[in-house]
Coordinates of all heavy atoms in Angstrom, one line a residue:
T1 N 78.5 70.5 79.2 CA 77.9 69.7 78.2 C 78.2 68.2 78.3 O 77.4 67.4 78.1 CB 78.3 70.3 76.8 OG1 79.7 70.3 76.7 CG2 77.7 71.7 76.6
V2 N 79.5 67.9 78.6 CA 79.9 66.5 78.8 C 79.2 65.9 80.0 O 78.7 64.8 79.9 CB 81.4 66.4 78.9 CG1 81.8 65.0 79.3 CG2 82.1 66.7 77.6
G3 N 79.1 66.7 81.0 CA 78.4 66.2 82.2 C 76.9 65.9 81.9 O 76.4 64.9 82.4
I4 N 76.2 66.8 81.2 CA 74.8 66.5 80.9 C 74.7 65.3 80.0 O 73.8 64.5 80.2 CB 74.2 67.8 80.2 CG1 74.1 68.9 81.2 CG2 72.9 67.5 79.6 CD1 73.7 70.3 80.6
A5 N 75.6 65.2 79.0 CA 75.5 64.1 78.1 C 75.8 62.7 78.8 O 75.1 61.7 78.6 CB 76.5 64.2 76.9
V6 N 76.8 62.7 79.7 CA 77.1 61.5 80.4 C 76.0 61.2 81.4 O 75.6 60.0 81.4 CB 78.5 61.7 81.2 CG1 78.7 60.7 82.3 CG2 79.6 61.7 80.2
A7 N 75.5 62.1 82.1 CA 74.4 61.8 83.0 C 73.1 61.3 82.2 O 72.5 60.4 82.7 CB 74.0 63.1 83.8
G8 N 72.8 62.0 81.1 CA 71.7 61.5 80.3 C 71.9 60.1 79.8 O 70.9 59.3 79.8
T9 N 73.1 59.8 79.4 CA 73.4 58.5 78.8 C 73.2 57.4 79.9 O 72.7 56.3 79.7 CB 74.8 58.4 78.2 OG1 74.9 59.4 77.2 CG2 75.2 57.1 77.7
I10 N 73.7 57.7 81.1 CA 73.6 56.7 82.2 C 72.2 56.5 82.6 O 71.7 55.4 82.8 CB 74.5 57.2 83.4 CG1 76.0 57.1 83.1 CG2 74.1 56.4 84.7 CD1 76.8 57.7 84.2
V11 N 71.5 57.6 82.8 CA 70.0 57.5 83.2 C 69.2 56.8 82.1 O 68.4 55.9 82.5 CB 69.4 58.9 83.4 CG1 67.9 58.9 83.6 CG2 70.1 59.6 84.7
L12 N 69.4 57.1 80.8 CA 68.7 56.4 79.8 C 69.0 54.9 79.7 O 68.2 54.1 79.7 CB 69.0 57.1 78.4 CG 68.2 56.5 77.2 CD1 66.7 56.6 77.4 CD2 68.7 57.2 76.0
G13 N 70.3 54.6 79.8 CA 70.8 53.2 79.8 C 70.2 52.4 80.9 O 69.7 51.3 80.8
F14 N 70.3 53.0 82.1 CA 69.8 52.3 83.3 C 68.3 52.1 83.3 O 67.8 51.1 83.6 CB 70.2 53.0 84.6 CG 69.9 52.3 85.8 CD1 70.6 51.2 86.2 CD2 68.9 52.8 86.7 CE1 70.3 50.5 87.4 CE2 68.6 52.1 87.9 CZ 69.3 50.9 88.2
T15 N 67.6 53.2 82.8 CA 66.1 53.1 82.7 C 65.7 52.0 81.8 O 64.8 51.2 82.1 CB 65.6 54.5 82.3 OG1 66.0 55.5 83.2 CG2 64.0 54.5 82.2
V16 N 66.3 51.9 80.6 CA 66.0 50.9 79.7 C 66.3 49.5 80.2 O 65.5 48.6 80.1 CB 66.7 51.1 78.3 CG1 66.6 49.9 77.4 CG2 66.2 52.4 77.6
Y17 N 67.4 49.4 80.9 CA 67.8 48.1 81.5 C 66.8 47.6 82.5 O 66.4 46.5 82.5 CB 69.2 48.2 82.1 CG 69.7 46.9 82.8 CD1 69.9 45.8 82.0 CD2 69.8 46.9 84.1 CE1 70.3 44.6 82.7 CE2 70.2 45.8 84.8 CZ 70.5 44.6 84.0 OH 70.9 43.5 84.7
I18 N 66.5 48.5 83.5 CA 65.6 48.0 84.6 C 64.2 47.8 84.1 O 63.4 47.1 84.8 CB 65.6 49.0 85.8 CG1 65.1 50.4 85.4 CG2 67.0 49.0 86.4 CD1 64.9 51.3 86.6
A19 N 63.8 48.3 82.9 CA 62.5 48.0 82.4 C 62.3 46.6 82.1 O 61.2 46.0 82.2 CB 62.2 48.9 81.1
D20 N 63.3 45.9 81.7 CA 63.3 44.4 81.4 C 64.7 43.9 81.4 O 65.4 43.9 80.4 CB 62.6 44.1 80.1 CG 62.4 42.6 79.8 OD1 62.8 41.8 80.7 OD2 61.9 42.3 78.7
T21 N 65.2 43.5 82.6 CA 66.6 43.0 82.7 C 66.9 41.8 81.9 O 68.1 41.5 81.7 CB 66.9 42.8 84.2 OG1 66.1 41.9 84.7 CG2 66.8 44.1 84.9
K22 N 65.9 41.0 81.5 CA 66.1 39.8 80.8 C 66.2 40.0 79.3 O 66.7 39.1 78.6 CB 65.1 38.7 81.1 CG 65.1 38.3 82.6 CD 64.1 37.3 82.9 CE 64.2 36.9 84.4 NZ 63.2 35.9 84.8
S23 N 65.8 41.1 78.8 CA 65.8 41.4 77.4 C 67.2 41.6 76.9 O 68.0 42.4 77.4 CB 65.0 42.7 77.1 OG 65.2 43.1 75.7
I24 N 67.6 40.9 75.8 CA 69.0 41.1 75.2 C 69.1 42.5 74.7 O 70.2 43.1 74.7 CB 69.2 40.0 74.2 CG1 70.7 40.1 73.7 CG2 68.3 40.1 73.0 CD1 71.7 39.6 74.7
T25 N 68.1 43.0 74.1 CA 68.1 44.4 73.6 C 68.4 45.4 74.7 O 69.3 46.3 74.6 CB 66.8 44.8 72.9 OG1 66.7 43.9 71.8 CG2 66.9 46.2 72.3
N26 N 67.7 45.3 75.8 CA 67.9 46.2 76.9 C 69.3 46.0 77.6 O 70.0 47.0 77.9 CB 66.8 46.0 78.0 CG 65.5 46.3 77.5 OD1 65.2 46.5 76.3 ND2 64.5 46.5 78.4
R27 N 69.8 44.8 77.7 CA 71.1 44.6 78.3 C 72.2 45.1 77.3 O 73.2 45.8 77.8 CB 71.3 43.1 78.5 CG 70.6 42.6 79.7 CD 70.9 41.1 80.0 NE 70.8 40.4 78.7 CZ 70.6 39.1 78.6 NH1 70.5 38.4 79.7 NH2 70.5 38.5 77.4
T28 N 72.0 44.9 76.0 CA 73.0 45.4 75.1 C 73.0 46.9 75.0 O 74.1 47.6 75.0 CB 72.7 44.8 73.7 OG1 72.7 43.4 73.8 CG2 73.8 45.2 72.7
F29 N 71.8 47.5 75.1 CA 71.8 49.0 75.1 C 72.4 49.5 76.4 O 73.1 50.6 76.3 CB 70.3 49.5 75.1 CG 70.2 51.0 75.0 CD1 70.5 51.7 73.9 CD2 69.9 51.7 76.1 CE1 70.4 53.1 73.8 CE2 69.8 53.1 76.1 CZ 70.0 53.8 75.0
F30 N 72.2 48.9 77.5 CA 72.9 49.3 78.7 C 74.4 49.2 78.6 O 75.1 50.1 79.0 CB 72.4 48.5 79.9 CG 72.9 48.9 81.2 CD1 72.7 50.1 81.8 CD2 73.7 48.0 82.0 CE1 73.3 50.5 83.0 CE2 74.2 48.3 83.2 CZ 74.0 49.6 83.7
Q31 N 74.9 48.1 78.0 CA 76.3 48.0 77.8 C 76.9 49.1 76.9 O 77.9 49.7 77.2 CB 76.7 46.6 77.2 CG 76.4 45.4 78.2 CD 76.4 44.1 77.5 OE1 76.2 44.0 76.3 NE2 76.5 43.0 78.3
F32 N 76.1 49.3 75.9 CA 76.5 50.4 74.9 C 76.5 51.7 75.7 O 77.5 52.5 75.5 CB 75.5 50.4 73.8 CG 75.7 51.6 72.9 CD1 76.8 51.7 72.0 CD2 74.8 52.7 72.8 CE1 77.0 52.8 71.2 CE2 75.0 53.8 72.0 CZ 76.1 53.8 71.2
S33 N 75.6 52.0 76.5 CA 75.5 53.3 77.2 C 76.6 53.4 78.2 O 77.2 54.5 78.4 CB 74.1 53.5 77.9 OG 73.9 52.6 78.9
L34 N 77.0 52.3 78.9 CA 78.2 52.4 79.8 C 79.5 52.7 79.1 O 80.2 53.5 79.5 CB 78.3 51.0 80.6 CG 77.3 50.8 81.7 CD1 77.5 49.4 82.3 CD2 77.4 51.8 82.7
V35 N 79.7 52.0 78.0 CA 80.9 52.2 77.2 C 80.9 53.6 76.6 O 82.0 54.3 76.7 CB 81.0 51.2 76.1 CG1 82.1 51.6 75.1 CG2 81.3 49.8 76.6
T36 N 79.8 54.1 76.2 CA 79.7 55.5 75.7 C 80.0 56.5 76.8 O 80.6 57.5 76.6 CB 78.3 55.8 75.1 OG1 78.1 54.8 74.0 CG2 78.1 57.2 74.6
T37 N 79.5 56.2 78.0 CA 79.8 57.1 79.2 C 81.3 57.1 79.5 O 81.9 58.2 79.6 CB 79.1 56.6 80.4 OG1 77.7 56.6 80.2 CG2 79.4 57.4 81.6
F38 N 82.0 56.0 79.5 CA 83.4 55.9 79.7 C 84.1 56.7 78.6 O 85.1 57.4 78.8 CB 83.9 54.5 79.8 CG 83.6 53.9 81.1 CD1 82.8 52.7 81.1 CD2 83.9 54.4 82.3 CE1 82.5 52.1 82.3 CE2 83.6 53.8 83.5 CZ 82.9 52.6 83.5
W39 N 83.7 56.5 77.3 CA 84.3 57.1 76.2 C 84.2 58.7 76.4 O 85.2 59.4 76.2 CB 83.7 56.7 74.9 CG 84.3 57.4 73.7 CD1 85.4 57.2 73.1 CD2 83.7 58.6 73.1 NE1 85.6 58.1 72.1 CE2 84.6 59.0 72.1 CE3 82.6 59.3 73.4 CZ2 84.3 60.1 71.3 CZ3 82.3 60.4 72.5 CH2 83.2 60.8 71.5
G40 N 83.0 59.1 76.7 CA 82.8 60.6 76.9 C 83.7 61.2 78.0 O 84.3 62.2 77.8
C41 N 83.8 60.4 79.1 CA 84.7 60.9 80.2 C 86.2 60.9 79.8 O 86.9 61.9 80.1 CB 84.5 60.1 81.4 SG 82.8 60.2 82.2
V42 N 86.6 59.9 79.2 CA 88.0 59.8 78.8 C 88.3 60.8 77.7 O 89.4 61.4 77.8 CB 88.4 58.3 78.4 CG1 89.8 58.3 77.8 CG2 88.3 57.4 79.6

């Protein structure tokens, strides 16, 4: 379950980010998803 959640978070964050790398919303969501991924793993 942690693996699925972490993988889903990374994929979603990266997908949103690459859709528009200049958007502050997309960049912030990607940062949030990275931190959430680290939190889930730790």
